[in-house]
Structure formats: structure tokens, C-alpha cells
Amino acid sequence: QVQLVESGGGLVQAGGSLRLSCAASGSIYSVSTMAWYRQAPGKQRELVASISTSSITTNYALSVKGRFTISRDNAKNTVYLQMNSLKPEDTAVYYCNAHAYVSSWYDYWGQGTQVTVSS
């Protein structure tokens, strides 16, 4: 099927930066929208950013707009999340999501990567 493998999480001080990567692999015919979500302890999973196939359209949560940048490399089926000016409230498990076509369109998820921002 499809595997999404995330990397780049870790511990950083407030004001610092991290870059997350997520590579999709498997029997993929096509990948459309890719996105990053996050889930903090005791909270619901929320959309952080999404990007269209052509990278023309991007959307950001208000809480990260101006600090985070989503991008993708279609040749590698990889999506990135550059996170700058990190705040303690950005601490969460970050999940990659890809809307991909194998035998039908389906949403696939990565296993998650922990981002911890210390104050």
C-alpha cells in the first residue's frame, strides 16, 4: 500500500526552528493534497498546513501563519514543513497526511513525529 515516513522532529528552544519531512512510498499512482496536522496532549488533532498538487494553493492555521511554511517535491512524493519562531504552544505530535490514489483515492497518515518546544 502506501507508507508515509516523517522525520525532523525533536526538542528545540522557543524561538528556534525545525524542518519536518514526510516521504510517501508504495504503489502510488498519484498524490494530490498533502498536509500536516498536529495533536497536543488532551487536544483534538488539528490542521496545521496543506498544499495542493501544483503547490499553487497553500492553507495555514491562523496560529502558525507567518511562521510555518509548507512545500513539496512531487518527484520525491515528499512534503516539508519549515517551522520558525517556534513557541511552547507548538509542542505536539505532528502527522503527515497525503490524499493518494492506489486503487482508489484515500487519505493516508504517517506515524507522527514529536516536536517539543521548551520555554
Side-chain angles (χ1 to χ4, degrees):
Q1 288 285 339
V2 176
Q3 298 82 39
L4 299 181
V5 179
E6 298 128 333
S7 61
L11 173 64
V12 64
Q13 287 190 331
S17 299
L18 284 173
R19 188 191 193 211
L20 305 183
S21 299
C22 171
S25 62
S27 305
I28 303 170
Y29 181 75
S30 181
V31 180
S32 63
T33 302
M34 300 186 81
W36 287 96
Y37 287 74
R38 68 185 181 187
Q39 187 167 19
K43 294 188 177 182
Q44 289 188 333
R45 189 174 298 189
E46 64 173 352
L47 175 66
V48 176
S50 65
I51 186 167
S52 64
T53 307
S54 61
S55 299
I56 291 176
T57 302
T58 57
N59 291 292
Y60 295 92
L62 286 176
S63 59
V64 307
K65 210 165 187 179
R67 300 187 297 122
F68 291 10
T69 302
I70 190 170
S71 61
R72 64 189 288 170
D73 183 337
N74 289 338
K76 298 178 180 179
N77 281 334
T78 298
V79 63
Y80 305 96
L81 186 68
Q82 178 66 45
M83 304 185 294
N84 298 329
S85 303
L86 282 161
K87 304 176 181 180
E89 51 263 43
D90 294 317
T91 295
V93 177
Y94 284 70
Y95 296 92
C96 172
N97 171 272
H99 192 59
Y101 188 94
V102 177
S103 56
S104 62
W105 286 103
Y106 190 77
D107 278 328
Y108 294 90
W109 293 89
Q111 80 285 355
T113 185
Q114 177 70 46
V115 171
T116 303
V117 184
S118 63
S119 56

